[in-house]
Amino acid sequence: MTEALFRQDAYMQQATGRVVSHAERGVVLDRSLYYPNGGGQPGDRGALTWDGGSMSVINTLKGDGADIALVPEEGDALPPVGTQVMQSLDWGTRLRHMRMHTALHLLSVIIPLPVTGGQIGAQKSRLDFAMEEPPEDKQALEDALNALIARDLEVSERWITDKELDANPGLVKTMSVQPPKGAGKVRLVRIGTGDEQVDLQPCGGTHVRRTSEIGPVRFGKVEKKSRLNRRFNIHLVD
């Protein structure tokens, strides 16, 4: 099982690791700085270096069980099993994913409807909502989202048991993706604390520490995807 360093500290940009295996999907380390593709968030990129070699990490995927597989650039030499490597993260892309991911959580706050899908990107991200009619005032929603971001709310986490989640189904906003269960506990991401809490939902992704780190966002197109679904696209303003 790969130790998930990104979950311990989403701001960690370098870390050592030891090669456990060369799996079908990529190189498996005993501990991973890289987030694997899942939950709408892309897998991380970066590079591995070791004495006498280096390997580009062009994607990160879930492997067998709880393993995390680092996908190499075609033609790159792989570090031998047992080798100690230095992991270096493509931090610029990861940070944009973190900002976007937290912004999407806030988007689900200002549009309190079931989420039917979503995707995080460095340049554009989206959430799909079960929304039959178009929004009356798109600009008002964008202003409300930016106002929430500007409140500089703390982003934190807590863990609950599978049974606690089953007893509180309202915590799950997404209709298309259910939070992973079976390990006995589920991670919740909370935005705001005490009376200022605005959101609490299951999530395994990486987030910024405070909403102000997101910076201003702007809406792109609001697309009608079906009779009961509309897609809201957002962009970072920087």
Side-chain angles (χ1 to χ4, degrees):
M1 183 175 71
T2 307
E3 181 183 358
L5 296 178
F6 57 84
R7 193 159 290 137
Q8 299 172 21
D9 182 1
Y11 288 77
M12 191 182 302
Q13 299 175 43
Q14 284 194 317
T16 58
R18 183 177 59 82
V19 180
V20 174
S21 66
H22 296 165
E24 181 180 352
R25 307 197 84 183
V27 176
V28 177
L29 305 181
D30 61 344
R31 54 208 301 256
S32 176
L33 190 65
Y34 307 95
Y35 177 85
N37 179 49
Q41 181 171 332
D44 281 327
R45 303 167 64 96
L48 302 181
T49 55
W50 63 95
D51 285 345
S54 64
M55 182 194 98
S56 294
V57 178
I58 62 169
N59 198 3
T60 305
L61 304 173
K62 293 177 181 176
D64 295 333
D67 285 347
I68 295 173
L70 311 181
V71 181
E73 182 83 54
E74 185 175 355
D76 277 8
L78 307 185
V81 173
T83 300
Q84 192 84 0
V85 299
M86 175 62 72
Q87 308 172 60
S88 299
L89 185 66
D90 177 351
W91 173 243
T93 302
R94 158 70 84 75
L95 181 57
R96 292 184 72 88
H97 289 163
M98 289 164 59
R99 294 164 63 196
M100 284 287 204
H101 202 154
T102 310
L104 290 184
H105 278 225
L106 293 179
L107 181 60
S108 75
V109 172
I110 66 165
I111 304 177
L113 295 173
V115 175
T116 58
Q119 183 63 48
I120 296 157
Q123 305 303 324
K124 180 176 74 172
S125 299
R126 65 170 173 86
L127 278 186
D128 300 344
F129 293 93
M131 176 185 287
E132 188 169 356
E133 298 296 328
E136 292 184 4
D137 191 338
K138 174 183 165 183
Q139 187 60 52
L141 291 175
E142 181 181 306
D143 292 345
L145 177 56
N146 279 307
L148 263 184
I149 291 170
R151 284 173 60 182
D152 191 34
L153 299 169
E154 180 184 357
V155 183
S156 58
E157 67 175 42
R158 57 174 290 213
W159 293 80
I160 61 173
T161 65
D162 289 351
K163 289 184 177 180
E164 287 177 301
L165 181 61
D166 289 338
N168 295 275
L171 290 173
V172 181
K173 295 186 177 184
T174 55
M175 299 170 63
S176 58
V177 179
Q178 291 298 305
K181 294 191 292 185
K185 61 180 183 177
V186 177
R187 177 181 182 248
L188 300 180
V189 170
R190 172 172 48 205
I191 301 180
T193 56
D195 293 340
E196 285 202 314
Q197 180 175 306
V198 298
D199 190 49
L200 180 68
Q201 60 177 292
C203 183
T206 58
H207 293 268
V208 292
R209 295 189 181 111
R210 305 194 70 87
T211 60
S212 60
E213 295 178 50
I214 299 169
V217 301
R218 65 174 178 85
F219 279 10
K221 293 181 180 179
V222 177
E223 305 172 79
K224 183 177 181 179
K225 305 305 292 183
S226 71
R227 186 175 65 85
L228 296 175
N229 283 280
R230 293 185 190 272
R231 175 169 296 173
F232 284 73
N233 296 287
I234 66 169
H235 304 261
L236 299 175
V237 179
D238 57 10

